[in-house]
Amino acid sequence: VSFDTPSTDPTTITPSAATVCAGSVLTLTASGGTLGSGGDDWVWYEGGCGPAGTFVQNTGTSATLNLTAPATAGTYDYFVRAEGGCGGNTNCATVSIVVEEASSTPTITASPATLCGPGNSDLTISGTLGTGSVWEVYEGGCGTGAGGTLVSSGTTSPVTVTPTITTDYFVLATASTSGVCAATACDNAT
């Protein structure tokens, strides 16, 4: 008579990071449980345990899942359990991952681009802001590290400026809320 041992419940999922940028690589590792001897596998789901969620991957005897983080900002719940053994499916362990979106690199257009003497010009910013990011407009350089002076910080466009001499203006999108999605490069207008 052969004897198979059942799997035991996983208790913890440890993520490579609890907050990630959309589209980045994410690693989840299950621990606290063991696979039985009856050919059990670790099976991963998103949004719910087993049929209550969406199947992600069967990682076989490996308790580690490597995946690409979702493209849309939000909080995602991942689940893992052992399946296929003599003792049936185990209970799931779960972890929540926060995904932040990156900003697109902006473009900036001055209107009017030429002034006859002192006056106002509207700087129109085009692009998409990521999670918690804002547009920062500088004059004279791309950021303070490049010798620029911050003239505006916010989420709206256009930005009105009043130059008195020929001036280069730069715009960038700041990093996401937790910094996992980096600030963008600058675009500039004169």
Side-chain angles (χ1 to χ4, degrees), residues 37-182:
S37 59
D40 299 26
D41 294 325
W42 294 117
V43 184
W44 299 79
Y45 298 89
E46 189 270 313
C49 181
T54 300
F55 172 78
V56 175
Q57 189 176 334
N58 181 328
T59 57
T61 58
S62 172
T64 297
L65 170 69
N66 296 305
L67 72 159
T68 300
T72 304
T75 299
Y76 295 83
D77 296 325
Y78 290 93
F79 297 78
V80 66
R81 70 182 182 182
E83 295 186 5
C86 69
N89 301 328
T90 68
N91 294 314
C92 281
T94 184
V95 68
S96 294
I97 302 296
V98 176
V99 175
E100 296 181 355
E101 286 185 55
S103 301
S104 63
T105 300
T107 60
I108 186 171
T109 306
S111 180
T114 302
L115 296 171
C116 181
N120 294 334
S121 180
D122 286 335
L123 304 177
T124 299
I125 303 166
S126 298
T128 303
L129 284 172
T131 309
S133 299
V134 297
W135 304 123
E136 287 188 346
V137 177
Y138 295 86
E139 63 177 29
C142 178
T144 55
T149 301
L150 180 67
V151 296
S152 174
S153 178
T155 59
T156 58
S157 173
V159 173
T160 301
V161 293
T162 310
T164 56
I165 59 172
T166 298
T167 305
D168 290 328
Y169 291 95
F170 299 79
V171 64
L172 60 79
T174 60
S176 62
T177 303
S178 68
V180 293
C181 301

Side-chain angles (χ1 to χ4, degrees), residues 3-7 35-40 86:
F3 181 82
D4 289 334
T5 56
S7 299
L35 288 178
S37 59
D40 299 26
C86 69

